[in-house]
Amino acid sequence: EAQVTQNPRYLITVTGKKLTVTCSQNMNHEYMSWYRQDPGLGLRQIYYSMNVEVTDKGDVPEGYKVSRKEKRNFPLILESPSPNQTSLYFCASSPNGQGTFYGYTFGSGTRLTVV
Amino acid sequence: QQPVQSPQAVILREGEDAVINCSSSKALYSVHWYRQKHGEAPVFLMILLKGGEQKGHDKISASFNEKKQQSSLYLTASQLSYSGTYFCGTGNSGGYQKVTFGTGTKLQVIP
């Protein structure tokens, strides 16, 4: 089944403890992206990647890191989480390449709570 | 900058029609529409491209006015299954797409 898989689904952590949220897609998609969703603010892009080793900042990149060493994986790293990073996180992918446009397939989401 | 969606929320009875609007302060190249049910991930409905035609998806269709930098989503003869939050996402360039989402329109269809 074609899908985007995120892990974990739920995570409670303490301030300052490094964590990684994994994202993997099995559709050979070029484009992957991370979004956070907060009440009243919609989906805001954190980082995106156009291909292996090619990443760029979205609208709210502060406090996050990403890497794209393999085409299928795009982990989100919080090196020193803070309570304002408590949110619902979505990974998304699409076949988009240069000049091509398709919709996104979203993962099931990761609900992160930082205390 | 996020596109602006209106209305923020709407309640419909089954069978009624609704229009959700999405406007941007920047020139648009593409507009995406998604629906998210409570506790689930957003699901892609359709994409409209600059210079493209109005798209349709069952009883859900959309239009794209490039000059006004606006898109509208039309839901006709609404069904209970249409309930959810609808997001538009706008892409501002013809190259690699950075899609910016609006804050959503919550739609509730009641019997």
Side-chain angles (χ1 to χ4, degrees), chain B residues 32-76:
Chain B
H32 297 221
W33 285 98
Y34 293 80
R35 176 171 61 210
Q36 183 180 32
K37 293 187 179 286
H38 184 69
E40 299 180 8
V43 174
F44 173 69
L45 294 175
M46 66 191 75
I47 185 171
L48 299 97
L49 302 180
K50 183 178 180 179
E53 298 176 358
Q54 181 167 345
K55 296 285 189 178
H57 179 75
D58 195 9
K59 292 180 182 174
I60 301 174
S61 62
S63 63
F64 181 13
N65 187 322
E66 298 158 22
K67 287 185 178 179
K68 292 186 177 180
Q69 296 166 192
Q70 292 178 345
S71 177
S72 295
L73 186 72
Y74 305 95
L75 300 101
T76 58

Side-chain angles (χ1 to χ4, degrees), chain B:
Chain B
Q1 191 167 355
Q2 289 181 279
V4 176
Q5 288 186 233
S6 63
Q8 288 187 314
V10 59
I11 300 175
L12 298 175
R13 292 202 178 274
E14 270 188 293
E16 292 182 337
D17 301 340
V19 180
I20 299 172
N21 299 303
C22 174
S23 64
S24 173
S25 58
K26 297 182 179 181
L28 298 179
Y29 193 92
S30 68
V31 179
H32 297 221
W33 285 98
Y34 293 80
R35 176 171 61 210
Q36 183 180 32
K37 293 187 179 286
H38 184 69
E40 299 180 8
V43 174
F44 173 69
L45 294 175
M46 66 191 75
I47 185 171
L48 299 97
L49 302 180
K50 183 178 180 179
E53 298 176 358
Q54 181 167 345
K55 296 285 189 178
H57 179 75
D58 195 9
K59 292 180 182 174
I60 301 174
S61 62
S63 63
F64 181 13
N65 187 322
E66 298 158 22
K67 287 185 178 179
K68 292 186 177 180
Q69 296 166 192
Q70 292 178 345
S71 177
S72 295
L73 186 72
Y74 305 95
L75 300 101
T76 58
S78 58
Q79 307 166 14
L80 295 176
S81 62
Y82 286 4
S83 294
T85 300
Y86 289 78
F87 291 97
C88 70
T90 54
N92 301 110
S93 72
Y96 280 110
Q97 284 278 284
K98 178 182 176 302
V99 176
T100 304
F101 285 91
T103 55
T105 295
K106 189 170 183 179
L107 179 79
Q108 184 181 1
V109 181
I110 58 176

Side-chain angles (χ1 to χ4, degrees), chain A residues 5 8 11 30 32-33 37 49-50 54 76 80 86-87 91 113:
Chain A
T5 303
L11 178 60
E30 303 273 337
M32 297 185 75
S33 183
Q37 186 174 29
S49 170
M50 290 78 78
V54 183
L76 180 69
S80 184
T86 292
S87 186
C91 178
T113 302

Side-chain angles (χ1 to χ4, degrees), chain A residues 47-114:
Chain A
Y47 271 95
Y48 62 102
S49 170
M50 290 78 78
N51 212 326
V52 175
E53 303 292 2
V54 183
T55 63
D56 205 354
K57 295 177 181 178
D59 298 311
V60 288
E62 294 79 20
Y64 305 94
K65 284 178 60 178
V66 293
S67 68
R68 187 98 179 268
K69 293 185 170 60
E70 303 169 282
K71 196 172 187 179
R72 63 183 291 126
N73 296 323
F74 191 44
L76 180 69
I77 303 157
L78 286 73
E79 299 224 320
S80 184
S82 62
N84 64 13
Q85 293 179 297
T86 292
S87 186
L88 178 59
Y89 291 85
F90 286 104
C91 178
S93 75
S94 87
N96 283 351
Q98 179 74 30
T100 59
F101 309 100
Y102 299 90
Y104 293 172
T105 300
F106 281 86
S108 300
T110 296
R111 187 166 291 281
L112 172 66
T113 302
V114 184

